[in-house]
């Protein structure tokens, strides 16, 4: 069996599946077919052929075109072009610096491994241009699986596996950089006079709401998962810093309000803003260094694994 993937499209991260158009070529020896000296095309219903399905298809398999050819020495070649929405498992822990291993698994619908056994003849693909994903290392492998639907019968399954890694530039430009500028605006609120209540309150509230908006925008494209991604951690810390700037202003106002009553106790209102400026900037700078150091370390490890897989 040989796989050839023509295209990958409609990558749906929220539902964890992608669309693929592929060619599958099967060759086998059938002593019952006529002997020919040159390849001869015959109707696809005239000779027995394996009833192949894509096991992990989310919406069924659509066969676009089939071709059956008799070759010399009683060999048969069966080629079909298929389309399927393939279901895959994805780990978003390092999103948007994540990479995944996707598999297209095929087997016979009714013939177990006592009747049909596959051998992998390789996996290839056309040049796949996707603005968000890069494709690496196509491989094909055969293994046996037990089917509960067939009373535990063992089936021969062939899987085309490839690795994909995400291009981060979109999320860096559309999410991370805006967050950095939003945090800069939030930091600037510490320089606004505490007496300018409308201006400073508006500045603090707008930064909080903007971070929430970006968080909802990013989360809408992902499935509901029970763990934090890299982006979740980054955005949650930005949200806490934005809220922290608002809370700091409330404390400053409290000190300013009570300064007239008890100037000895509430005399440090300007000092709160002064210290907050440097604590905020130092913490956010250190946080970015740590987060991006972890992300690029993960990327280097993933690239090393892709290179080793390609060599092997």
């Amino acid at each position: 069996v040989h796989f050839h993937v023509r295209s990958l499209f409609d990558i749906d991260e929220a539902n964890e599946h992608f669309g693929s158009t592929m060619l599958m070529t099967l060759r086998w020896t059938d002593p019952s077919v006529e002997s020919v000296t040159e390849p001869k095309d015959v109707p696809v219903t005239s000779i027995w052929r394996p009833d192949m399905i894509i096991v992990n298809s989310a919406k069924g398999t659509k066969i676009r075109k089939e071709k059956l050819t008799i070759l010399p020495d009683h060999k048969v070649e069966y080629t079909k072009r298929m389309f399927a929405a393939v279901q895959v498992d994805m780990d978003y822990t390092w999103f948007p610096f994540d990479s995944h291993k996707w598999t297209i698994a095929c087997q016979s619908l009714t013939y177990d491994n006592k009747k049909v056994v596959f051998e992998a003849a390789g996996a290839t693909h056309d040049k796949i241009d996707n603005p968000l994903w890069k494709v690496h290392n196509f491989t094909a492998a055969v293994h046996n699986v037990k089917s509960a639907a067939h009373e535990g019968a063992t089936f021969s399954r062939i899987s085309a596996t490839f690795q994909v890694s995400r291009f981060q530039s979109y999320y860096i430009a559309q999410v991370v950089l805006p967050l950095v500028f939003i945090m800069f605006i939030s930091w600037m609120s510490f320089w606004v006079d505490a007496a300018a209540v409308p201006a400073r309150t508006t500045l603090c509230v707008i930064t909080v709401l903007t971070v929430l908006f970006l968080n909802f925008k990013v989360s809408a494209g992902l499935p509901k998962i029970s763990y934090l991604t890299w982006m979740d951690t980054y955005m949650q810390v930005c949200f806490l810093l934005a809220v922290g700037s608002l809370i700091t202003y409330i404390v400053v106002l409290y000190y300013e309000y009570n300064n007239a009553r008890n100037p000895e106790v509430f005399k440090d209102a300007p000092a709160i803003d002064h210290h907050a400026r440097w604590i905020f900037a130092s913490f956010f700078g250190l946080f970015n260094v740590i987060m991006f150091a972890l992300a690029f370390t993960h990327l280097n490890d993933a690239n090393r694994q892709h290179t080793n897989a390609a060599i092997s």
Side-chain angles (χ1 to χ4, degrees), residues 2-289:
H2 181 270
F3 271 103
H4 182 77
V5 177
R6 300 289 302 274
S7 61
L8 299 177
F9 53 89
D10 292 341
I11 298 174
D12 187 345
E13 297 180 53
N15 295 308
E16 296 187 318
H17 63 70
F18 64 91
S20 178
T21 301
M22 66 202 83
L23 290 175
M24 183 186 297
T25 303
L26 298 90
R27 285 189 179 185
W28 67 92
T29 300
D30 187 346
S32 65
V33 301
E34 62 180 297
S35 178
V36 297
T37 57
E38 295 183 356
K40 177 183 178 182
D41 293 339
V42 296
V44 293
T45 57
S46 63
I47 298 175
W48 174 90
R49 63 200 187 283
D51 49 349
M52 299 288 289
I53 60 168
I54 297 177
V55 180
N56 57 333
S57 174
K59 301 178 181 179
T61 305
K62 297 180 181 179
I63 299 176
R64 299 289 177 85
K65 188 176 181 180
E66 296 177 280
K67 180 182 178 182
L68 192 62
T69 304
I70 299 176
L71 304 175
D73 299 326
H74 300 283
K75 294 186 181 298
V76 180
E77 181 179 271
Y78 175 49
T79 302
K80 60 180 178 179
R81 183 184 179 192
M82 301 182 295
F83 163 79
V86 182
Q87 193 76 39
V88 290
D89 293 325
M90 302 178 71
D91 181 2
Y92 294 98
T93 302
W94 288 98
F95 170 81
F97 301 93
D98 50 334
S99 58
H100 307 273
K101 183 180 289 186
W102 290 351
T103 298
I104 304 173
C106 296
Q107 72 177 50
S108 172
L109 178 62
T110 56
Y111 299 105
D112 61 22
N113 67 345
K114 295 179 181 179
K115 298 177 181 178
V116 173
V117 177
F118 297 118
E119 291 184 4
T124 56
H125 63 92
D126 289 343
K127 183 180 180 181
I128 297 174
D129 293 320
N130 190 286
L132 292 179
W133 297 94
K134 181 180 180 181
V135 180
H136 314 262
N137 306 334
F138 268 73
T139 58
V142 175
H143 54 282
N144 293 325
V145 294
K146 288 189 176 182
S147 173
H150 295 81
E151 299 181 350
T154 302
F155 285 76
S156 181
R157 177 177 295 180
I158 182 166
S159 301
T161 302
F162 51 97
Q163 294 170 317
V164 293
S165 55
R166 191 189 303 270
F167 292 119
Q168 303 86 29
S169 55
Y170 171 81
Y171 292 96
I172 296 296
Q174 298 294 325
V175 180
V176 176
L177 282 180
L179 280 173
V180 171
F181 287 114
I182 291 167
M183 290 300 97
F184 178 75
I185 294 172
S186 182
W187 177 65
M188 291 298 294
S189 68
F190 297 123
W191 302 83
V192 177
D193 191 346
V197 176
R200 188 159 173 177
T201 303
T202 302
L203 197 62
C204 292
V205 171
I206 286 177
T207 56
V208 171
L209 295 178
T210 306
V211 174
L212 282 175
F213 168 76
L214 287 174
N215 188 23
F216 289 138
K217 177 183 176 182
V218 173
S219 299
L222 298 177
K224 294 179 175 61
I225 51 181
S226 59
Y227 53 87
L228 289 177
T229 68
W230 184 96
M231 184 65 80
D232 287 333
T233 303
Y234 193 88
M235 298 187 77
Q236 293 297 334
V237 171
C238 289
F239 176 74
L240 291 176
L241 288 174
V243 172
S245 67
L246 180 59
I247 293 174
T248 301
Y249 181 49
I250 294 172
V251 173
V252 170
L253 282 180
Y254 178 77
Y255 269 68
E256 290 282 356
Y257 177 77
N258 289 280
N259 184 46
R261 299 180 181 180
N262 195 343
E264 291 298 324
V265 177
F266 298 99
K267 63 181 179 180
D268 294 329
I272 295 175
D273 270 343
H274 178 77
H275 293 311
R277 295 168 192 169
W278 305 113
I279 293 173
F280 185 102
S282 301
F283 178 83
F284 188 63
L286 180 61
F287 170 72
N288 274 274
V289 170

